Amino acid sequence: HRDDAPELTDVRRVRKEWEKQASLGLRIGDTDVIDTYLDHDRIAPGRYEDILEQAYQAWRADQAEGKASVLIAEALDTVSELNTRARTDRVLAGDVALDGVRLHDGNEASRGDLVITRNNDRRLAMGRGWVKNGDRWTVTRANDDGSLTVRRAHSKGRITITLPAAYVSEHVELGYAITAHRAQGSTVDTAHAIVSSPEM
């Protein structure tokens, strides 16, 4: 740990002032700001199964409105379950193709799916950047060789990149639901978090 290490002191991606202050309060461990979130109807208590359902339905409503939204859960098995449910619903709605490529998390991805990359790879260059851990992508084509052709999620551009099969099988997961750790740094319109443990 270095004494002169940079420290976050301002919030730039949150528009409402109360949210900025509450976010900074949580960052330093001030649990009193939970009351602020309660006052603004941002916390919904209930049984775990009910909370999962409420969060999922709120996420679906945001998706239907065209918002970039994500589900956040603590446990990897919950994340995987939510991702499977989201993909299945999108397949049934005709938003995602049925046949896909096997991913690192055990799910499949095909045209229309939202995926997230889990490893920096400068060899996979795209313009002035490259494929990074935490990047979100929309699949434009699932290829027979196990590779995926993708474009940046929620971008208006048409530039695509093909992620090789070896990278896909090791470092790509569905991106509808993610853990809180992996959500850090994500830019979305809305996030729906499922909190069940005292630690979180």
Side-chain angles (χ1 to χ4, degrees):
H1 175 69
R2 292 176 42 195
D3 290 338
D4 61 343
E7 184 175 338
L8 177 66
T9 58
D10 193 14
V11 177
R12 301 202 179 265
R13 289 192 264 180
V14 178
R15 291 187 180 96
K16 296 179 181 173
E17 190 59 36
W18 76 263
E19 288 178 301
K20 289 181 182 182
Q21 297 309 314
S23 175
L24 288 170
L26 281 180
R27 183 187 171 280
I28 62 171
D30 179 6
T31 56
D32 289 341
V33 300
I34 292 173
D35 290 336
T36 304
Y37 286 101
L38 284 166
D39 291 342
H40 286 88
D41 294 323
R42 295 295 178 89
I43 298 174
R47 292 183 320 119
Y48 187 70
E49 295 77 18
D50 296 336
I51 296 299
L52 275 177
E53 185 63 23
Q54 288 175 15
Y56 183 78
Q57 293 305 332
W59 170 84
R60 278 190 75 184
D62 285 347
Q63 289 282 307
E65 291 178 15
K67 295 178 180 176
S69 186
V70 69
L71 287 158
I72 300 173
E74 295 174 75
L76 289 174
D77 57 344
T78 304
V79 168
S80 184
E81 178 185 326
L82 289 167
N83 273 324
T84 300
R85 181 177 179 187
R87 182 175 192 278
T88 300
D89 283 350
R90 288 177 49 80
V91 167
L92 291 172
D95 298 325
V96 170
L98 179 59
D99 295 327
V101 168
R102 178 76 57 187
L103 304 178
H104 171 70
D105 63 358
N107 282 301
E108 289 188 350
S110 51
R111 181 185 41 76
D113 267 319
L114 179 67
V115 296
I116 190 163
T117 48
R118 291 286 163 224
N119 191 50
N120 295 330
D121 195 327
R122 289 180 180 267
R123 295 169 299 178
L124 298 175
M126 190 171 179
R128 291 180 291 179
W130 62 91
V131 173
K132 296 179 190 73
N133 180 21
D135 284 349
R136 294 161 59 88
W137 309 86
T138 299
V139 177
T140 60
R141 188 170 62 245
N143 303 303
D144 292 339
D145 65 357
S147 65
L148 289 174
T149 303
V150 298
R151 68 174 166 75
R152 291 216 180 267
H154 307 292
S155 72
K156 301 209 184 320
R158 297 177 185 254
I159 299 172
T160 62
I161 187 170
T162 298
L163 304 174
Y167 183 92
V168 169
S169 65
E170 295 269 334
H171 306 296
V172 177
E173 300 172 0
L174 286 176
Y176 305 113
I178 54 180
T179 62
H181 174 72
R182 291 180 174 168
Q184 294 178 25
S186 296
T187 302
V188 293
D189 297 318
T190 62
H192 303 279
I194 298 113
V195 178
S196 60
S197 74
E199 293 78 20
M200 189 168 176

